[in-house]
Amino acid sequence: MNTPETSGRRAVTATELFDRVEAILLKAGLHPVQAAAVTRVIVAAEADDCKSHGVYRIEGVLRTIEAGKVKADAEPALMPDEKPTIVRVNANGGFSNASFELGAPLLADRAKEYGMAALVINDCTHFAALWPEIEFLTALGVAAMAMCPSYATVAPAGGRYPLLGTNPFAFGWPRKNGNPYVFDFATSVVARGEVELLRRAGKKLPDGWAVDPDGQPTNDPEAALAGALLPFGGHKGSAISTMIELLAGIMIGDLTSSESLEQLGSTTLSPSHGELIIAFSPEAFADHRGRNPFSRAEALFEAIAGQGARLPSERRFAARANSEKHGLILDDTEFETLTRLEAASARR
Amino acid sequence: MNTPETSGRRAVTATELFDRVEAILLKAGLHPVQAAAVTRVIVAAEADDCKSHGVYRIEGVLRTIEAGKVKADAEPALMPDEKPTIVRVNANGGFSNASFELGAPLLADRAKEYGMAALVINDCTHFAALWPEIEFLTALGVAAMAMCPSYATVAPAGGRYPLLGTNPFAFGWPRKNGNPYVFDFATSVVARGEVELLRRAGKKLPDGWAVDPDGQPTNDPEAALAGALLPFGGHKGSAISTMIELLAGIMIGDLTSSESLEQLGSTTLSPSHGELIIAFSPEAFADHRGRNPFSRAEALFEAIAGQGARLPSERRFAARANSEKHGLILDDTEFETLTRLEAASARR
């Protein structure tokens, strides 16, 4: 990362990358609020060397638009209050990102006013990592938990068929100085993409990743892709993934992973479903207890790092520091992707 | 379980067991609201054949009282509202159970009124499984999530020293007919007690359970008990356990697992810390979405059970059905424990 000039890797400024990606998405017909919000995630991902949500994802976004599986011209709408702790945004079939940006400041305000609050995003096509959302909220001084279904690729522990999604679960805690405490992980052992990468490389899967179509453990990527991934942590991870289907699918009146796959008919486009984000005001919960929750949390983080364990997201934050110094590092393939998509845009 | 008469196992009615356990706890000086609430957990655990919180735990409760590590005569107090979504009960140094019983009905009401709400229990000595609390709330028609620290026996993933507790995480979803969907698990691979059992049996630990005092993986129970347990699911479980320290320890202004161990100086007594329970009104979250969350959840549960995977707590519910038919089944050792503790009570 410190030698961006080697092996076809070059730097680009965040502003330049933002402008290029946004222009491609606008040309593809994405509403300006959607284009800007999706672009922010892609640029943030590249800044953090988090390639799974970076430039390579642009084509998936375009494919999803072309397949008519997202309403490109949709504007998100804040729904009337039903309950004071539930901020609800309807994406109206657009990508989730602009809906998050519309609802998040209000979510933080409500959490501070009421102690805790939820942001429900409904009727969205989901293109997002959860950590940029968590970091947006921790920057506003609230702790936050986020979760959503995906599409069915994971069997429940002890089962045989895909029913659950890779269902990400994320959490963040604000830190007054520096980067927040943030984790964001799939509740499957791995993402489906990692199985696909091993298939292409002709490699075997490690034990415990997947079952074949008969529900038997398999190390064969083909059999795994025809069968199902497994949740992380056995029945415990499976239970958490099921909780996510219940809270962030069924409870919020939106699709489960199984329904999302049925509606989409493919695992190569962005899935449709909702998302649930819960925010907590640490000051409100700690009130009258006479101890500062933020300084106490620092002591906990020091005790973790001080024994050689890593805090989550450390790798991303190191990449971000590097990007701030040297620019965002893309490789030749990524630059070619941008140039090719720009040329295709110009022919529209 | 269907032949309670064999091998020293006999049935007792729930009422008889309740009366005998409550009398022992009252004689030990426990305030009536505490004695009744602790007894309810012990009887519920025996009814569900969940021996880890059953009759054998009475002596731990008595030891904790005798060591002065719980305020036996404390009455829990509902604290004045700071924020409408935070119901706060101070246990005043007593066992957590009576505090839960005081706050839980109000928690469910608040969740229905505001969409979601939290119950914070502070300054309690913790003797409880979380599932009885979750089931109390699901019976009131809300979904609920509960978590608490413990005492430091678990190293963070990649670490070497005990810092986290076995930090249980529990969740429940109400079902209109029959038992709720409930899970309740330690975020460590196993409970410390299981290591202790293998040590006594002279057996080795499976891989992945623990590290020795140098942070190296170990299969030796002695080395594990001198070292640290590991979180379930690697860095993911470690992150969830850390979240529990933050939300249900630090945020609520109560002890972390590390502080709790320091205060207690032992892992053989019940630890002091707080607890956080979050309740959600499914009706409120699903409002205006036109789909019944309860019937949709049933379809999800059927899809899990229909492919041969178990729903969590099935074993407990089967035991409960058996207990309802045949009474609660105790073995000779458990009956002897009751008789011995009653005799000791009579000598006070």
Side-chain angles (χ1 to χ4, degrees):
Chain A
M1 262 181 325
N2 293 312
T3 55
E5 293 75 21
T6 57
S7 61
R9 289 156 64 86
R10 294 180 278 139
V12 61
T13 67
T15 310
E16 185 193 333
L17 182 62
F18 184 92
D19 290 346
R20 293 180 68 176
V21 175
E22 188 189 36
I24 291 166
L25 297 180
L26 287 169
K27 278 277 191 178
L30 216 49
H31 188 285
V33 297
Q34 285 198 55
V38 170
T39 303
R40 266 189 277 279
V41 170
I42 290 170
V43 173
E46 287 294 350
D48 284 14
D49 194 28
C50 191
K51 296 292 182 184
S52 63
H53 287 82
V55 164
Y56 117 92
R57 272 290 188 93
I58 300 172
E59 293 189 270
V61 170
L62 298 178
R63 271 201 310 275
T64 305
I65 296 170
E66 280 155 23
K69 294 296 185 183
V70 63
K71 290 214 177 104
D73 61 351
E75 262 189 280
L78 191 63
M79 306 305 285
D81 274 5
E82 294 144 8
K83 297 286 183 186
T85 66
I86 305 175
V87 177
R88 192 185 288 269
V89 177
N90 195 300
N92 289 319
F95 284 110
S96 57
N97 317 69
S99 295
F100 175 81
E101 292 186 358
L102 179 61
L106 192 56
L107 169 64
D109 287 348
R110 290 284 173 84
K112 289 172 189 174
E113 186 178 351
Y114 290 94
M116 62 191 297
L119 170 60
V120 171
I121 302 175
N122 279 131
D123 298 339
C124 69
T125 291
H126 208 265
F127 169 79
L130 298 182
W131 57 260
E133 304 184 352
I134 293 289
E135 290 193 29
F136 184 97
L137 291 165
T138 54
L140 297 176
V142 293
M145 190 189 283
M147 60 187 94
C148 65
S150 175
Y151 30 47
T153 54
V154 178
R160 318 167 53 164
Y161 311 120
L163 175 70
L164 310 169
T166 51
N167 298 4
F169 184 71
F171 171 78
W173 177 269
R175 301 178 72 176
K176 301 278 180 183
N177 300 305
N179 294 311
Y181 175 89
V182 180
F183 66 76
D184 173 4
F185 56 72
T187 53
S188 51
V189 174
V190 289
R192 199 175 153 84
E194 297 185 53
V195 176
E196 181 58 33
L197 287 176
L198 289 178
R199 187 190 66 78
R200 289 188 204 173
K203 292 186 180 163
K204 292 279 169 200
L205 306 184
D207 288 345
W209 280 26
V211 291
D212 68 18
D214 296 322
Q216 297 304 309
T218 185
N219 303 97
D220 173 14
E222 296 276 5
L225 291 168
L229 296 175
L230 288 173
F232 92 100
H235 72 278
K236 296 181 182 182
S238 187
I240 291 175
S241 182
T242 304
M243 176 187 82
I244 293 173
E245 298 286 340
L246 288 166
L247 292 182
I250 289 168
M251 185 176 80
I252 65 169
D254 220 306
L255 301 185
T256 61
S257 294
S258 173
E259 292 165 340
S260 179
L261 180 60
E262 204 170 309
Q263 187 183 79
L264 197 66
S266 160
T267 58
T268 63
L269 304 171
S270 295
S272 290
H273 50 70
E275 183 180 343
L276 175 65
I277 303 141
I278 301 168
F280 305 85
S281 163
E283 285 94 339
F285 275 87
D287 202 17
H288 293 292
R289 296 289 301 168
R291 301 183 70 182
N292 184 318
F294 300 108
S295 57
R296 292 182 68 205
E298 292 307 312
L300 179 68
F301 301 142
E302 277 163 30
I304 293 172
Q307 62 173 280
R310 291 199 324 177
L311 291 176
S313 303
E314 274 186 7
R315 195 196 59 77
R316 279 199 302 103
F317 293 139
R320 189 181 303 178
N322 195 62
S323 297
E324 279 161 10
K325 222 185 248 174
H326 302 293
L328 283 55
I329 312 301
L330 303 186
D331 64 21
D332 281 346
T333 311
E334 287 157 343
F335 278 110
E336 281 159 21
T337 299
L338 286 174
T339 307
R340 181 164 44 78
L341 296 176
E342 283 163 343
S345 289
R347 286 194 301 271
R348 262 169 228 275
Chain B
M1 260 179 329
N2 292 313
T3 54
E5 293 75 20
T6 57
S7 59
R9 289 158 63 84
R10 297 181 274 138
V12 60
T13 67
T15 310
E16 185 195 333
L17 182 61
F18 184 93
D19 290 345
R20 293 181 67 176
V21 175
E22 189 190 35
I24 292 167
L25 296 180
L26 287 170
K27 278 275 191 181
L30 217 49
H31 188 285
V33 297
Q34 286 197 55
V38 170
T39 303
R40 266 188 278 279
V41 170
I42 290 170
V43 173
E46 287 294 350
D48 284 15
D49 194 29
C50 191
K51 295 291 181 184
S52 63
H53 287 81
V55 164
Y56 115 92
R57 272 289 189 94
I58 301 172
E59 293 189 271
V61 170
L62 298 178
R63 271 201 310 275
T64 305
I65 296 170
E66 280 155 25
K69 295 296 186 181
V70 64
K71 290 212 177 106
D73 60 350
E75 261 190 284
L78 191 62
M79 305 306 286
D81 273 6
E82 294 144 8
K83 298 285 183 187
T85 66
I86 306 175
V87 177
R88 192 185 288 270
V89 177
N90 195 300
N92 289 320
F95 284 112
S96 57
N97 317 68
S99 295
F100 175 81
E101 292 185 358
L102 179 61
L106 192 56
L107 168 65
D109 287 348
R110 290 284 173 86
K112 289 172 189 174
E113 185 178 352
Y114 289 93
M116 62 191 296
L119 171 59
V120 171
I121 301 175
N122 280 130
D123 299 338
C124 68
T125 291
H126 207 265
F127 169 80
L130 299 181
W131 58 260
E133 304 184 352
I134 294 288
E135 290 191 30
F136 184 98
L137 290 165
T138 55
L140 297 176
V142 294
M145 189 188 285
M147 59 187 94
C148 64
S150 176
Y151 29 47
T153 52
V154 178
R160 317 164 57 163
Y161 311 120
L163 175 70
L164 310 169
T166 51
N167 298 4
F169 184 70
F171 171 78
W173 178 269
R175 301 178 72 175
K176 300 277 180 182
N177 301 306
N179 294 313
Y181 175 88
V182 180
F183 67 77
D184 173 4
F185 56 73
T187 54
S188 52
V189 173
V190 289
R192 198 175 153 85
E194 297 186 53
V195 176
E196 181 59 33
L197 286 177
L198 289 179
R199 186 189 69 77
R200 289 187 205 174
K203 291 188 179 164
K204 291 278 167 201
L205 306 184
D207 288 345
W209 279 26
V211 291
D212 68 19
D214 296 323
Q216 298 304 310
T218 185
N219 303 97
D220 173 14
E222 296 276 4
L225 291 169
L229 296 175
L230 288 172
F232 91 99
H235 72 279
K236 295 180 182 183
S238 187
I240 291 175
S241 182
T242 304
M243 176 187 82
I244 294 172
E245 298 285 341
L246 287 166
L247 292 181
I250 289 169
M251 185 175 81
I252 65 169
D254 221 305
L255 300 185
T256 60
S257 294
S258 173
E259 292 165 339
S260 179
L261 180 59
E262 203 170 310
Q263 189 182 80
L264 196 65
S266 160
T267 59
T268 62
L269 304 172
S270 295
S272 290
H273 50 70
E275 183 178 340
L276 175 66
I277 302 140
I278 301 168
F280 305 86
S281 162
E283 285 93 338
F285 276 86
D287 201 19
H288 292 293
R289 297 288 301 168
R291 302 182 71 182
N292 182 316
F294 300 109
S295 56
R296 293 181 67 207
E298 292 308 311
L300 179 68
F301 301 141
E302 277 163 31
I304 293 172
Q307 60 174 284
R310 290 201 323 180
L311 291 176
S313 303
E314 273 185 9
R315 195 196 58 77
R316 278 199 302 106
F317 293 139
R320 190 180 303 178
N322 195 62
S323 298
E324 279 160 10
K325 220 184 252 175
H326 302 291
L328 282 55
I329 312 300
L330 303 186
D331 63 20
D332 281 346
T333 311
E334 288 156 343
F335 279 110
E336 280 159 21
T337 299
L338 286 173
T339 307
R340 180 164 45 79
L341 295 176
E342 284 163 343
S345 288
R347 287 193 300 271
R348 264 172 225 273

